[in-house]
Amino acid sequence: MTDARYPIGRFEPPATYDDAFREQSIAHLAHLPTAMRAAVAGLNDAQLDTPYRDGGWTIRQVVHHVPDSHMHAYIRTKFALAEDEPAIKAYDEARWANFPDANGLTIDVSLGILDGLHKRWVTLLRSLGAAEFSRAIYHPENGRMTVDLILALYSWHSRHHTAHITTARANHGW
């Protein structure tokens, strides 16, 4: 049986990074706003307020979670580029998913954030040289994270949460 929490599998960092991997990962980030809009197209409020799996967040919470998480990743990328391995702060994503802006607000707000955020992030990432992808932050839970690792993780994260929505739609026949 497939674990509904991980519809595309758990994140596994690659053993090595190269230009082709980076470009593919950046392409995933560039495509996310379009993919997320397609995943939620036509859903009504009752469907958006349905958990994507038993015990999981609602589809609405997932949509609002993604820009919360990706804003952190974008800023962490900039910290890695601007400072020498700065320590960053983690956040309680489950708690954030229960704030009113993630429970009742229209998803169009977060889809708009994704549009602008991902244009900026992709532009930044495409401007980097190979050495800059080795720059790093220190995460209190995950340890040292290079820009390469952040890119790989959020490429996966983009596809992971989109799959939560598309899998829920398929399971419900929407």
Side-chain angles (χ1 to χ4, degrees):
M1 180 173 164
T2 304
D3 185 340
R5 294 174 299 170
Y6 301 99
I8 64 167
R10 289 181 180 266
F11 173 69
E12 298 206 13
T16 59
Y17 300 93
D18 61 21
D19 289 340
F21 178 83
R22 290 178 186 123
E23 186 48 43
Q24 179 184 40
S25 297
I26 293 169
H28 290 148
L29 293 180
H31 182 64
L32 174 66
T34 300
M36 186 66 67
R37 283 182 191 284
V40 298
L43 293 179
N44 61 39
D45 282 335
Q47 292 165 326
L48 290 169
D49 293 330
T50 301
Y52 75 89
R53 66 170 174 85
D54 288 340
W57 288 341
T58 66
I59 293 171
R60 183 184 311 275
Q61 286 173 302
V62 171
V63 173
H64 290 307
H65 161 74
V66 172
D68 283 348
S69 180
H70 289 207
M71 283 188 280
H72 277 86
Y74 169 68
I75 290 168
R76 290 169 181 172
T77 300
K78 291 187 95 169
F79 274 130
L81 296 170
E83 300 178 20
D84 291 326
E85 296 198 18
I88 57 94
K89 182 171 178 16
Y91 76 105
D92 184 344
E93 64 184 33
R95 192 156 182 211
W96 282 44
N98 285 306
F99 287 137
D101 63 324
N103 275 310
L105 192 61
T106 177
I107 60 170
D108 291 341
V109 173
S110 283
L111 293 172
I113 290 169
L114 284 177
D115 289 334
L117 174 63
H118 278 245
K119 282 180 186 169
R120 289 193 62 186
W121 198 9
V122 166
T123 298
L124 174 65
L125 290 166
R126 287 192 171 140
S127 76
L128 302 181
E132 291 165 300
F133 284 96
S134 296
R135 296 197 49 90
I137 57 167
Y138 181 81
H139 189 288
E141 297 165 359
N142 301 327
R144 186 176 187 272
M145 297 180 71
T146 64
V147 173
D148 266 330
L149 179 57
I150 294 168
L151 173 58
L153 177 60
Y154 284 88
S155 167
W156 171 85
H157 192 259
S158 296
R159 294 173 287 118
H160 167 73
H161 283 304
T162 302
H164 281 148
I165 298 165
T166 58
T167 301
R169 288 187 79 141
N171 290 341
H172 290 285
W174 299 334

